[in-house]
Amino acid sequence: MRISTGQMFQQNTNSILNKQSATNSIIAQISSGKKVNTAGDDPVAAIGIDNLKQKNALVDQFIKNIDYATSHIQQAESQLGQADTLVGSMKESVLRGINGSMTSAERQVIADDMRQSLEQLMSIANTKDESGNYIFAGNKTNSAPFAFNNNGDVVYSGDSGIRKSNIAAGVQVNTNVPGDAAFMNAPNAMGDYGVNYLPSQQGDFVVSSAKIVPQIPAVAHIADIYSFKFSDDGAGGLNVEVSDSTPTIISAAAPFDASVPIKFRDMEVTIDGKPAVNDVFTVEQQPQVSIFDTFSKAITLFESGDDAQTPAGQSELAQLLNNIDSGVNQMSQQRSLTGNSLKVLQQYSDNHTDEKLINTSALSKLEDLDFASAITEFEKQQLALSAASSLFSKVSSTSLFDYI
């Protein structure tokens, strides 16, 4: 086999270059603290490292989403708590106003105080977050959701939109409470209809229930204003007659028994107490009530002189108190939902923290450098490079002609 001077030169050059490349690779590892800096260093480990980094990036995004959701839900929960406390205080004011020993002036003081509380409740419902968005406006976060109209009633201009945040793969959580769900859509304590008691009322009674009851065979429900009129039955008792708004009698005068609901079409109306002859009241469909309107009606009643002490006023206050309780329950339910959401968020936050710890540990095993081993290897490569360089210098100065 013939060995030329060029071959010896090339072989020594390749050896030095390889040793330099190995040395540079170790220097890069020591500098970065990573044993895998490029896919070429370890293709299998590089794939694992890339997957783990992607998982951690996704976990980091979930944690950010959880922080965002937690902040907004905590704010909603706090405001609902303040509203609940305020409404409790307003209910106590209503109960004080019912006291028959109070004068009109004293009830006016109560009404003034309640009106201030109502404005404060409105302020709570129009709370903004740190970005200036209204937290109880649904998806219409740029404008105040609650306002008084020309009639003094509170109207809701937001929507029922629910904003959601992704907190894990396939898992979302609500980040807001729509204002209509919190303050406007409490179930009517009486059922499906609200009652209007007329000033001419003389009897001591309240309508405890006015609801739609499906019939068999089915009867089409007709939404209307129904009027109930009591008359003397000629035997010491009462008859009750029901008519619609046309007015057409739809239930002819029949004996009234407070222990039995008044039934007509697909409706049942239950009355507690004892109406008087010629007493009349009306019912109008109202399956949901607003906590704002409920208090507004109570305030108006207290401001109207001695109307709160009349039979009609007492009956209306009894209805309003029931609707206040319904509104309080509605807010409490929404507050409970925020509390449940916060528990879920904490649970997933803990899960993500554990997951990231596991991923980071696995990532460390794949890419983190063992500095002691790396330095030892670096010294070995340096020694090998030095030896190769020394050998090359000797070989490069030698020619086969020296032996001819």
Side-chain angles (χ1 to χ4, degrees):
M1 178 179 180
R2 295 180 179 180
I3 300 176
S4 67
T5 301
Q7 284 178 311
M8 289 190 297
F9 185 87
Q10 186 63 46
Q11 287 177 349
N12 281 283
T13 300
N14 290 341
S15 177
I16 291 174
L17 291 175
N18 289 337
K19 295 295 187 294
Q20 286 179 333
S21 176
T23 301
N24 290 337
S25 177
I26 294 176
I27 291 173
Q29 289 177 345
I30 294 174
S31 176
S32 66
K34 307 295 182 183
K35 62 184 177 183
V36 179
N37 289 304
T38 66
D41 293 337
D42 187 336
V44 175
I47 294 174
I49 290 169
D50 185 57
N51 289 337
L52 288 170
K53 286 182 176 179
Q54 289 183 27
K55 287 182 179 180
N56 274 349
L58 184 60
V59 168
D60 287 338
Q61 185 59 56
F62 285 146
I63 291 175
K64 288 180 181 179
N65 292 348
I66 287 173
D67 290 341
Y68 171 86
T70 299
S71 173
H72 284 72
I73 293 174
Q74 282 178 338
Q75 188 173 16
E77 193 276 338
S78 174
Q79 295 303 317
L80 287 173
Q82 293 183 38
D84 184 64
T85 301
L86 183 60
V87 168
S89 175
M90 295 174 73
K91 180 182 176 181
E92 292 178 0
S93 296
V94 174
L95 291 172
R96 289 200 309 273
I98 293 175
N99 191 330
S101 64
M102 279 200 166
T103 65
S104 297
E106 289 173 330
R107 280 192 291 272
Q108 181 63 53
V109 172
I110 291 176
D112 292 341
D113 181 62
M114 287 182 62
R115 193 167 292 283
Q116 291 181 0
S117 296
L118 185 62
E119 292 176 356
Q120 185 179 349
L121 183 61
M122 174 86 77
S123 177
I124 291 173
N126 283 331
T127 299
K128 296 180 182 180
D129 63 16
E130 71 284 353
S131 301
N133 297 318
Y134 291 92
I135 67 174
F136 293 115
N139 289 323
K140 297 182 177 181
T141 58
N142 294 327
S143 58
F146 295 94
F148 290 102
N149 63 13
N150 294 333
N151 296 325
D153 298 325
V154 175
V155 294
Y156 179 65
S157 58
D159 61 22
S160 301
I162 300 290
R163 301 189 298 278
K164 297 181 180 292
S165 182
N166 294 317
I167 61 171
V171 180
Q172 293 183 322
V173 67
N174 298 345
T175 62
N176 71 307
V177 177
D180 55 350
F183 304 103
M184 303 295 288
N185 295 339
N188 187 336
M190 290 194 310
D192 302 296
Y193 278 75
V195 183
N196 178 33
Y197 298 96
L198 302 186
S200 59
Q201 177 180 324
Q202 297 298 315
D204 181 13
F205 70 93
V206 295
V207 178
S208 60
S209 174
K211 58 187 178 181
I212 300 169
V213 179
Q215 302 294 308
I216 300 176
V219 175
H221 178 70
I222 301 175
D224 202 347
I225 299 176
Y226 296 102
S227 178
F228 296 72
K229 182 178 180 179
F230 297 91
S231 59
D232 191 342
D233 66 356
L238 294 172
N239 286 332
V240 59
E241 177 185 275
V242 183
S243 58
D244 61 20
S245 60
T246 53
T248 299
I249 296 175
I250 57 177
S251 179
F256 169 70
D257 182 353
S259 65
V260 179
I262 301 171
K263 298 181 180 181
F264 60 97
R265 290 181 176 168
D266 61 345
M267 289 183 59
E268 288 187 3
V269 177
T270 303
I271 298 174
D272 291 338
K274 187 176 181 179
V277 175
N278 295 326
D279 278 349
V280 177
F281 69 87
T282 63
V283 298
E284 184 174 3
Q285 194 161 0
Q286 187 184 24
Q288 296 173 326
V289 293
S290 157
I291 193 69
F292 294 108
D293 289 344
T294 299
F295 280 120
S296 291
K297 290 178 180 178
I299 292 170
T300 300
L301 191 57
F302 289 150
E303 290 176 335
S304 59
D306 292 326
D307 287 354
Q309 299 306 312
T310 65
Q314 291 291 298
S315 297
E316 183 177 357
L317 284 171
Q319 174 180 296
L320 293 175
L321 281 170
N322 288 334
N323 283 338
I324 289 172
D325 289 338
S326 182
V328 170
N329 289 337
Q330 181 76 2
M331 287 191 297
S332 296
Q333 288 175 6
Q334 294 301 314
R335 189 181 181 189
S336 295
L337 291 177
T338 61
N340 291 336
S341 295
L342 288 173
K343 289 181 181 178
V344 171
L345 289 170
Q346 184 60 54
Q347 177 184 349
Y348 276 97
S349 178
D350 293 342
N351 291 344
H352 289 321
T353 299
D354 293 341
E355 181 183 359
K356 188 171 183 180
L357 183 62
I358 293 171
N359 290 343
T360 302
S361 177
L363 190 61
S364 176
K365 291 179 180 179
L366 287 175
E367 68 173 358
D368 285 356
L369 183 67
D370 182 343
F371 280 94
S373 298
I375 291 173
T376 300
E377 182 65 23
F378 172 72
E379 292 175 347
K380 288 168 58 178
Q381 292 296 337
Q382 283 284 83
L383 182 61
L385 177 61
S386 177
S389 299
S390 176
L391 178 62
F392 178 70
S393 64
K394 293 180 180 179
V395 172
S396 62
S397 62
T398 303
S399 170
L400 292 177
F401 291 103
D402 293 338
Y403 300 96
I404 296 175

